[in-house]
Amino acid sequence: AQRVTQPEKLLSVFKGAPVELKCNYSYSGSPELFWYVQYSRQRLQLLLRHISRESIKGFTADLNKGETSFHLKKPFAQEEDSAMYYCALLKSGAGKSTFGDGTTLTVKP
Amino acid sequence: NAGVTQTPKFQVLKTGQSMTLQCAQDMNHNSMYWYRQDPGMGLRLIYYSASEGTTDKGEVPNGYNVSRLNKREFSLRLESAAPSQTSVYFCASLGSAGEAYNEQFFGPGTRLTVL
């Protein structure tokens, strides 16, 4: 069975500080991994995916297959980064997806 | 493009009542999903449909039924609502080509309260 774990429900940092949102997964095949973000009163939207290996809004995430992790990082947090962040795994082929419990990030001024 | 739309936005039911949540997408996507979002429990998959005419159970299917009416529409039905089904329900569809490949597009959600 596939599983996604986000160990921190709440994370609070000051503006300008580095931030790391943790995500670990378990899956026997080759997963596709994503980070989705939900800003206040908005719908969930894709932030980034491991395949693209790009930086979005200053965020990056590297897939570490040895540690089965896909942590989200940003070197200098901004107040507008305050949101709920979900790590997600997509089972290729079948299209079944699994989300973590989410991490609420608060960036304080 | 309206993307993924859901109706209604809000609903209050009494225990035992039934209702259907509607979802439609205009992006010609094959796969569609229903999730529920509860505080501290993230998004949990209720049912999904990989293509028109097929549906599969997710993590928490008990108490729900779904219908993939056509490629555009995927509805979720509560036959006999229970207070434990109080939640925010999200529908999503899965991009199938180009930059949107395997990206999930979400609807605005339906906030359901069962008294």
Side-chain angles (χ1 to χ4, degrees):
Chain A
Q2 57 201 69
R3 185 176 177 85
V4 176
T5 303
Q6 293 179 249
E8 305 129 335
K9 286 196 178 346
L10 301 171
L11 188 60
S12 182
V13 300
F14 284 101
K15 177 182 173 182
V19 63
E20 181 179 46
L21 289 80
K22 292 185 167 54
C23 172
N24 289 89
Y25 68 91
S26 62
Y27 179 57
S28 56
S30 293
E32 279 199 68
L33 286 150
F34 305 80
W35 277 98
Y36 285 84
V37 60
Q38 186 178 28
Y39 301 104
S40 179
R41 295 188 176 82
Q42 294 186 28
R43 59 181 78 187
L44 279 97
Q45 58 188 279
L46 178 68
L47 180 61
L48 52 78
R49 65 178 85 197
H50 87 270
I51 288 178
S52 61
R53 302 176 68 88
E54 57 187 347
S55 173
I56 304 291
K57 299 185 179 183
F59 285 98
T60 59
D62 289 318
L63 178 61
N64 185 323
K65 290 187 178 180
E67 295 183 358
T68 59
S69 68
F70 188 55
H71 303 327
L72 183 68
K73 300 176 185 179
K74 185 169 182 176
F76 307 103
Q78 304 298 314
E79 289 180 68
E80 55 265 30
D81 296 329
S82 296
M84 172 77 90
Y85 291 81
Y86 287 100
C87 183
L89 183 156
L90 183 68
K91 184 178 177 182
S92 55
K96 185 174 181 179
S97 73
T98 301
F99 281 74
D101 289 346
T103 297
T104 301
L105 173 66
T106 302
V107 181
K108 295 179 285 189
Chain B
N1 275 359
V4 180
T5 57
Q6 291 181 237
T7 55
K9 284 188 168 50
F10 302 94
Q11 184 71 49
V12 178
L13 294 177
K14 294 180 180 178
T15 297
Q17 286 185 316
S18 62
M19 80 161 295
T20 300
L21 282 66
Q22 307 286 354
C23 173
Q25 52 91 10
D26 61 0
M27 297 173 281
N28 201 36
H29 292 164
N30 290 316
S31 298
M32 297 184 72
Y33 304 80
W34 274 107
Y35 296 92
R36 57 178 290 172
Q37 183 184 43
D38 301 294
M41 302 186 78
L43 281 170
R44 291 182 292 169
L45 182 64
I46 305 172
Y47 271 94
Y48 69 105
S49 170
S51 62
E52 183 181 350
T54 68
T55 60
D56 284 290
K57 294 179 180 179
E59 301 170 62
V60 289
N62 291 346
Y64 305 95
N65 285 301
V66 289
S67 295
R68 184 73 183 269
L69 304 168
N70 46 56
K71 195 170 187 178
R72 290 187 66 247
E73 298 170 291
F74 188 38
S75 61
L76 179 73
R77 182 159 178 84
L78 287 70
E79 291 291 352
S80 179
S84 60
Q85 294 178 304
T86 293
S87 187
V88 181
Y89 291 85
F90 288 99
C91 177
S93 66
L94 189 70
S96 49
E99 288 185 357
Y101 182 72
N102 279 353
E103 174 182 349
Q104 291 190 58
F105 293 81
F106 285 84
T110 295
R111 189 173 294 273
L112 175 67
T113 301
V114 183
L115 302 174

